[in-house]
């Protein structure tokens, strides 16, 4: 062995605690400090190889879905750019930054590399506004932050508008904000085209302010999370527009009927229409006057002739809507109308089939009157479309409409909702995953929640559980005892059922089970401690039944730790020793008589 080699071994022997540093190119950063040392090198550097992406992803599992799906910054990297160490450098010291943003730093980062370039008003927004922990929805990233609450991350920010912005339309227009709005500016909504709606704006209607037809309504829902900018919002639907009288007063006081378009146009109110529309006034002399939308229907639509059938002008049935029209709801409302004539006019007007005159007052007579937050919910939220409703229309009826050249008009909305409508789960998913099924019983969600708002509850921890919150427990945050847990479906939810109620269920036994009544049995902390404070006041007194050793004389002034020293039970872990403490004098005191009185009994 050479002299230089001997010197190296001597240095190793002289400083064993720093031997690792001789082989390491430098200290690891704070996040990776836990894998410092020769024994951990192969966790990142496979034996005989350089760094490994697989080794990085073995710990950083939150990146796997985006990389596999080609999403986000890491998913869009190609070739050598995917090597983690291109941007993340190590062995540079504890405080060395984990991310190399390049020469321009964080502010010079090209956001287009994430697959979502910042345009318009998004460009000047501070990074922290969108990369807020509260906005993260990615399950993998949220799981990471639950394990490391203090960690800062730029991952998991969803690109959907609703992730950062409250829906100012309250769900009326869907979730695709980009159909109407652009990133350059929120107003005006340049992508919106009224001509593509069921009511194109013609003539003088084009100059009318939106607020004239879409009134402002109060938002009575208490929003959780993102808050809308204003409590009032424009009601986009339903807006009745089939009749002029839905918006305009009749200056003729009904003397000329409700069909204004017989004489007037949208181009000019004062310009009176001349032509065939007025020639139909003769129908007013029959038993069935043409009103509303019927005034615009071609004669052939009701009277024929149709293939294989001559025109009919006498004895044409007209007593009920269903004499001419099919049930556009597929028979869903037949039970509500009763037997006999199906009174379509309860909801519809002669001006047009849409929109129905069915509001909050009419809903009161239904199986489910609207109360609380339900009053501001859009109809389509509960009465969603179902193609199966249209399938209820008999094939023969469709063929007859086709023979007469009339359109098939069917509402696909579901109105005959099955089940007990007093049960919230008919419409709402159980966010608690069935944890309260036994407790709620027949009442269901309303056992705790109110119809005014989901966030308002009648829950009383003292009455509704076996664990009333006393002392410091009353001031503890709910999430401390009811942590979020992952479910088989993916999203996490707070755990309520099966939560431990013993002290050991939440708190570590600082006495290392010295006061447990039996092996593997949890310690009854309540024998000595109270909920108000862990240390004061104590129920424990140094006398039976707590202990057989009463403190008398000068023992009363001795500090506890003098007789109950700390005992090491693990690396850097010490526990105050209470069991096995000697009770004889010589167990604590030195025999100054050097055994001369051993065996002496006074």
């Amino acid at each position: 062995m050479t002299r230089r080699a001997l010197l190296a071994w001597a240095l190793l022997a002289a400083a064993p605690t720093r031997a690792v540093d001789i082989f390491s190119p430098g200290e690891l950063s704070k996040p990776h400090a836990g894998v410092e040392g020769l024994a951990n090198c192969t966790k990142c550097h496979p034996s005989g190889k350089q760094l490994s992406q697989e080794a990085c992803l073995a710990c950083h599992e939150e990146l796997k879905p985006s990389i596999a799906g080609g999403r986000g910054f890491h998913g869009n990297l190609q070739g050598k750019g995917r090597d983690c160490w291109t941007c993340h450098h190590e062995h540079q010291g504890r405080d060395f930054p984990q991310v190399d943003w390049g020469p321009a730093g964080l502010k010079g980062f090209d956001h287009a590399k994430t697959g979502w370039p910042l345009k318009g008003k998004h460009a000047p927004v501070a990074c922290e506004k969108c990369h807020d922990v509260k906005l993260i929805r990615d399950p993998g990233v949220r799981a990471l932050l639950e394990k490391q609450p203090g960690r800062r991350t730029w991952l998991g920010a969803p690109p959907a508008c609703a992730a950062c912005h409250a829906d100012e339309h309250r769900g009326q227009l869907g979730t695709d904000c980009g159909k109407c709005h652009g990133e350059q500016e929120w107003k005006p909504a340049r992508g919106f085209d009224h001509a593509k709606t069921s009511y194109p704006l013609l003539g003088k209607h084009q100059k009318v302010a939106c607020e004239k037809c879409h009134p402002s309504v109060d938002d009575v829902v208490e929003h959780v999370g993102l808050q809308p900018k204003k409590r009032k919002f424009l009601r986009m639907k339903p807006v009745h527009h089939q009749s002029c009288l839905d918006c305009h007063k009749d200056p003729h006081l009904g003397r000329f009927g409700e069909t204004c378009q017989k004489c007037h146009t949208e181009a000019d109110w004062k310009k009176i229409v001349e032509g065939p529309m007025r020639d139909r006034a003769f129908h007013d002399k029959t038993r069935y006057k043409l009103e509303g939308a019927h005034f615009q229907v071609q004669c052939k639509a009701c009277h024929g002739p149709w293939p294989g059938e001559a025109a009919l002008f006498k004895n044409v049935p007209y007593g009920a809507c269903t004499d001419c029209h099919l049930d556009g709801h597929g028979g869903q409302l037949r039970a509500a109308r009763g037997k006999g004539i199906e009174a379509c006019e309860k909801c519809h007007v002669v001006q047009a089939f849409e929109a129905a005159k069915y509001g909050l007052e009419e809903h009161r007579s239904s199986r489910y009157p609207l109360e609380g937050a339900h009053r501001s919910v859009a109809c389509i939220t509960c009465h969603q479309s179902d193609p199966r409703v249209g399938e209820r229309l008999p094939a023969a009826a469709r063929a007859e409409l086709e023979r007469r050249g009339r359109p098939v008009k069917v509402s696909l909305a579901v109105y005959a909702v099955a089940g007990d409508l007093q049960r919230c789960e008919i419409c709402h998913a159980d966010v608690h995953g069935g944890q309260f099924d036994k407790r709620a019983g027949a009442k269901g969600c309303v056992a705790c929640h109110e119809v005014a708002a989901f966030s308002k509850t009648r829950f009383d921890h003292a009455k509704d559980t076996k664990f009333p919150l006393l002392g410091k427990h009353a001031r503890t945050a709910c999430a401390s005892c009811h942590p979020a847990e992952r479910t088989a479906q993916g999203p996490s939810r707070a755990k309520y059922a099966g939560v431990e109620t013993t002290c050991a269920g939440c708190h570590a036994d600082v006495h290392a089970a010295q006061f447990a009544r039996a092996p593997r049995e949890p310690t009854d902390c309540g024998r000595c401690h109270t909920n108000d404070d862990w240390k004061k006041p104590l129920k424990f007194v140094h006398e039976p039944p707590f202990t057989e050793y009463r403190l008398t004389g000068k023992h009363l002034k001795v500090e506890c730790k003098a007789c109950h020293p700390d005992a090491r039970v693990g690396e850097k872990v010490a526990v105050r020793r209470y069991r096995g403490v000697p009770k004889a004098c010589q167990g604590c005191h030195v025999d100054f008589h050097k055994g001369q009185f051993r065996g002496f009994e006074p």
Side-chain angles (χ1 to χ4, degrees), residues 321-344:
C321 300
T322 50
D323 288 335
C324 295
H325 302 280
L326 294 175
D327 182 358
H329 300 297
Q332 295 182 83
L333 307 179
R334 195 168 296 152
R337 295 169 181 156
K339 298 180 180 179
I341 296 176
E342 295 184 353
C344 305

Side-chain angles (χ1 to χ4, degrees), residues 42-73:
T42 54
K43 291 183 178 180
C44 300
H45 304 274
S47 181
K49 299 180 181 178
Q50 294 298 320
L51 285 169
S52 165
Q53 289 185 10
E54 290 74 13
C56 296
L57 293 179
C59 290
H60 296 277
E61 296 182 348
E62 68 278 6
L63 295 174
K64 289 182 178 179
S66 60
I67 292 177
R71 304 188 308 273
F73 175 77

Side-chain angles (χ1 to χ4, degrees), residues 127-306:
C127 306
E128 294 77 11
K129 287 285 187 180
C130 300
H131 294 280
D132 189 334
V133 175
K134 298 177 183 178
L135 303 178
I136 294 176
R137 294 292 178 270
D138 186 278
V141 179
R142 290 192 66 85
L144 172 68
L145 294 177
E146 288 176 4
K147 295 179 181 177
Q148 304 177 28
R151 179 166 180 163
R152 176 62 184 276
T153 181
W154 301 99
L155 304 174
C161 302
C164 298
H165 305 280
D167 183 2
E168 301 297 336
H169 300 301
R170 308 324 194 264
Q172 299 179 92
L173 303 179
T175 58
D176 187 6
C177 308
K179 290 193 301 184
C180 301
H181 300 281
E183 294 174 279
Q184 301 298 328
E185 56 189 358
W186 175 255
K187 292 182 180 180
R190 300 186 184 279
F192 175 74
D193 186 359
H194 217 291
K196 296 180 181 180
T197 69
S198 59
Y199 190 76
L201 297 181
L202 305 175
K204 289 195 172 183
H205 284 154
Q206 294 177 346
K207 300 180 180 180
V208 178
C210 305
E211 294 79 8
K212 289 288 186 179
C213 301
H214 299 281
S216 293
V217 294
D218 290 320
D219 188 353
V220 298
V221 176
E222 289 191 11
H223 297 272
V224 177
L226 297 173
Q227 299 294 322
K229 293 183 178 180
K230 297 180 179 179
R231 295 297 296 176
K232 289 182 175 292
F233 64 97
L234 293 183
R235 187 181 69 198
M236 298 298 180
K237 51 179 150 182
V239 175
H240 301 299
H241 57 263
Q242 300 301 326
S243 170
C244 301
L245 299 180
D246 289 333
C247 296
H248 304 279
K249 292 183 180 180
D250 182 5
H252 307 298
L253 303 178
R255 291 191 297 270
F256 298 110
E258 297 180 351
T259 311
C260 306
Q261 56 267 36
K262 288 191 299 184
C263 303
H264 302 280
T265 68
E266 295 169 303
D268 193 333
W269 174 255
K270 295 182 179 180
K271 186 177 180 179
I272 305 302
V273 176
E274 298 289 344
M277 292 291 287
R278 299 190 66 189
D279 295 338
R280 299 189 184 185
F282 78 91
H283 216 291
D284 292 346
K285 300 177 182 179
T286 69
R287 291 181 296 170
Y288 189 77
K289 294 182 179 182
L290 295 180
E291 297 176 345
H294 289 154
F295 194 84
Q296 302 177 36
V297 176
Q298 296 294 323
C299 303
K300 181 180 178 180
C302 298
H303 297 284
W306 303 294

Side-chain angles (χ1 to χ4, degrees), residues 294-517:
H294 289 154
F295 194 84
Q296 302 177 36
V297 176
Q298 296 294 323
C299 303
K300 181 180 178 180
C302 298
H303 297 284
W306 303 294
E309 185 177 349
L312 179 66
F313 295 100
K314 291 185 177 181
N315 300 321
V316 177
Y318 61 89
C321 300
T322 50
D323 288 335
C324 295
H325 302 280
L326 294 175
D327 182 358
H329 300 297
Q332 295 182 83
L333 307 179
R334 195 168 296 152
R337 295 169 181 156
K339 298 180 180 179
I341 296 176
E342 295 184 353
C344 305
E345 59 270 19
K346 287 183 179 180
C347 302
H348 300 280
V349 294
V350 73
Q351 276 70 33
F353 179 71
E354 298 177 358
K357 57 175 183 179
Y358 195 89
L360 294 175
E361 291 299 322
E362 289 77 11
H363 220 292
R364 288 184 179 180
S365 60
S366 70
R367 291 171 56 204
Y368 191 77
L370 297 181
E371 299 175 351
H374 289 150
R375 294 171 62 88
S376 61
V377 176
C379 304
I380 58 173
T381 303
C382 300
H383 300 286
Q384 298 181 353
S385 296
D386 187 346
R388 290 175 295 183
V389 175
E391 296 172 0
R392 298 180 182 180
L393 189 64
R398 289 181 180 271
E400 180 63 16
L401 287 176
E402 183 178 356
R403 186 179 74 88
R404 296 192 178 195
R406 297 174 63 180
V408 178
K409 289 189 175 183
V410 178
S411 170
L412 300 181
V414 176
Y415 294 103
V417 180
D420 183 3
L421 299 186
Q422 301 304 316
R423 304 288 297 189
C424 304
E425 56 267 28
I426 292 294
C427 295
H428 302 279
D430 182 2
V431 298
H432 303 304
Q435 296 182 80
F436 296 112
D437 287 349
K438 292 183 179 179
R439 178 191 174 276
K443 292 184 178 180
C445 306
V446 296
C448 296
H449 297 281
E450 298 181 8
V451 74
F454 178 77
S455 57
K456 288 186 176 181
T457 63
R458 291 185 290 269
F459 179 77
D460 187 338
H461 216 289
K463 298 179 181 178
D464 299 328
T465 73
K466 298 179 181 179
F467 191 81
L469 299 180
L470 304 174
K472 284 194 173 182
H473 285 152
R475 300 187 293 275
T476 302
C478 304
S480 297
C481 301
H482 301 283
E485 61 177 0
R486 298 295 299 276
T487 63
Q489 292 73 25
S492 60
R493 62 167 181 248
K495 180 180 181 180
Y496 295 103
V499 175
E500 288 285 349
T501 57
T502 62
C503 301
C506 295
H507 305 280
D509 185 353
V510 298
H511 302 307
Q514 293 182 78
F515 298 109
R517 295 182 181 276

